[in-house]
């Protein structure tokens, strides 16, 4: 598609943005659907100025990444209901200067999970209580899962569990918690490049009937995922969540079905 004066611009704001795969995913999708749109990453020094800039330049929408997913809420005109509950925005739509914030991280995670398993009434053990855990925690509760949160800093697990309405504990509760889990979700960076030799879950605790979801996508096969595969567990890696959160954002912006397979192909190739 030729870039011209009608081209709609979608922007990623965050810092750093250098390693983001979102430009790759969305530009491939825009091209596939022959939409006159382009997606660019902006290393952003200040969230408020970035939002004013989006309005001023009539940027059509975009994504928000670390460290602005929470802060940006204060500068938007409207927040979609679930994003408001989660307290974080990763997607913005600009309708005639009215900026609305959405959260598609939880949509991506839940879609990735639901591809492999139901969630309702399942015992779900989630490791971590940071931003990603908030999005997934609310999503899982919304779908009727029985959630337990374990976190290194247990008061943070307590805080998030209080908001979501679920059980919690410190990482010392790992053994008993894994024992009754149907689904195990890692939202911490343990296992992420360059820390690829580590996993928070001792491999001997994994049994083949647990479904293991690691939100890390670099590497796509973390130690946790490899250990789980060896035990014969069904596994889900972070690339799925990445692609599905992008697909959900794309659909909000364009109203068109996202070319998910293509989006997946470009991230796997990258
Ligand atoms: P994100 O937005 O990616 O979720 P975050 O909000 O910084 O990132 O949250 C990171 C989560 O991973 C936190 O729950 C953190 O635990 P603490 O609350 O104790 O900081 C957890 N985490 C990070 N490094 C960890 C490590 N080495 N071992 C265990 N948990 C870790």
């Amino acid at each position: 598609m030729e870039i011209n004066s009608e081209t709609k611009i979608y922007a990623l704001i965050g810092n750093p943005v250098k390693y983001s795969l979102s430009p790759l995913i969305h530009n491939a999708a825009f091209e596939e659907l022959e939409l006159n749109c382009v997606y660019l990453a902006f290393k952003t020094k200040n969230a408020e100025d970035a939002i004013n800039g989006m309005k001023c330049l009539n940027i059509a929408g975009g994504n928000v990444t670390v460290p602005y997913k929470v802060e940006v809420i204060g500068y938007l005109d409207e927040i979609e209901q679930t994003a408001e509950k989660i307290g974080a925005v990763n997607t913005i739509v600009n309708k005639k200067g009215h900026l609305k914030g959405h959260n598609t991280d939880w949509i991506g995670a839940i879609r990735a999970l639901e591809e492999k398993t139901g969630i309702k009434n399942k015992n779900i053990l989630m490791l971590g209580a940071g931003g990603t855990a908030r999005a997934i925690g609310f999503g899982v509760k919304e779908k009727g899962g029985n959630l337990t949160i374990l976190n290194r800093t247990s008061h943070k697990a307590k805080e998030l569990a209080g908001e979501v309405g679920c059980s919690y504990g410190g990482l010392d509760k790992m053994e008993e918690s894994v024992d009754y889990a149907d689904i195990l979700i890692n939202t911490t960076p343990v296992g992420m490049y360059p820390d690829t030799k580590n996993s928070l879950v001792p491999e001997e605790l994994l049994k083949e009937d647990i479904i293991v979801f690691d939100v890390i996508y670099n590497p796509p096969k973390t130690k946790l995922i490899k250990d789980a595969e060896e035990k014969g567990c069904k596994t889900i890696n972070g690339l799925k969540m990445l692609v599905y959160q992008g697909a959900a954002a794309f659909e909000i912006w364009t109203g068109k079905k996202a070319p998910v397979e293509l989006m997946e192909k470009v991230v796997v190739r990258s």
Side-chain angles (χ1 to χ4, degrees), residues 14-66:
N15 190 1
V17 291
K18 199 173 169 180
Y19 301 105
S20 171
L21 294 172
S22 294
L24 207 63
I25 294 176
H26 289 297
N27 287 319
F30 289 145
E31 201 172 317
E32 174 76 6
L33 272 68
E34 296 185 4
L35 299 173
N36 189 2
C37 303
V38 66
Y39 186 107
L40 299 168
F42 293 89
K43 182 177 168 187
T44 306
K45 291 195 181 119
N46 175 304
E48 185 173 12
D49 289 347
I51 294 302
N52 288 333
M54 281 178 85
K55 283 192 183 185
C56 185
L57 298 174
N58 197 27
I59 304 286
N63 289 125
V64 184
T65 188
V66 175

Side-chain angles (χ1 to χ4, degrees), residues 66 69 127-134 149-157 171 186-192 195 200 215:
V66 175
K69 287 185 185 186
L127 309 178
T132 308
R134 284 188 75 83
I149 298 171
L150 299 187
N151 194 47
R152 178 177 61 180
T153 313
S154 67
H155 78 84
K156 288 198 198 156
L171 294 177
N186 175 49
T187 72
T188 77
V190 178
M192 182 157 65
D195 182 30
L200 279 182
V215 304

Side-chain angles (χ1 to χ4, degrees), residues 7-134:
T7 303
K8 283 188 181 175
I9 300 173
Y10 290 84
L12 170 66
I13 63 174
N15 190 1
V17 291
K18 199 173 169 180
Y19 301 105
S20 171
L21 294 172
S22 294
L24 207 63
I25 294 176
H26 289 297
N27 287 319
F30 289 145
E31 201 172 317
E32 174 76 6
L33 272 68
E34 296 185 4
L35 299 173
N36 189 2
C37 303
V38 66
Y39 186 107
L40 299 168
F42 293 89
K43 182 177 168 187
T44 306
K45 291 195 181 119
N46 175 304
E48 185 173 12
D49 289 347
I51 294 302
N52 288 333
M54 281 178 85
K55 283 192 183 185
C56 185
L57 298 174
N58 197 27
I59 304 286
N63 289 125
V64 184
T65 188
V66 175
Y68 302 123
K69 287 185 185 186
V70 177
E71 183 191 346
V72 82
I73 288 182
Y75 310 123
L76 298 172
D77 301 301
E78 189 183 348
I79 309 295
E80 183 274 333
Q81 219 181 334
T82 312
E84 185 149 35
K85 261 202 258 173
I86 292 168
V89 156
N90 78 322
T91 298
I92 297 174
V93 185
N94 182 357
K95 283 223 173 91
K96 296 186 178 150
H98 179 95
L99 263 51
K100 182 169 176 182
H102 299 252
N103 187 304
T104 67
D105 286 332
W106 80 273
I107 299 174
I110 296 300
R111 181 170 173 188
L113 266 174
E114 285 186 332
E115 228 170 46
K116 295 267 163 105
T117 173
I119 294 175
K120 199 172 166 56
N121 297 329
K122 293 281 168 65
N123 292 323
I124 299 168
L125 174 62
M126 181 168 73
L127 309 178
T132 308
R134 284 188 75 83

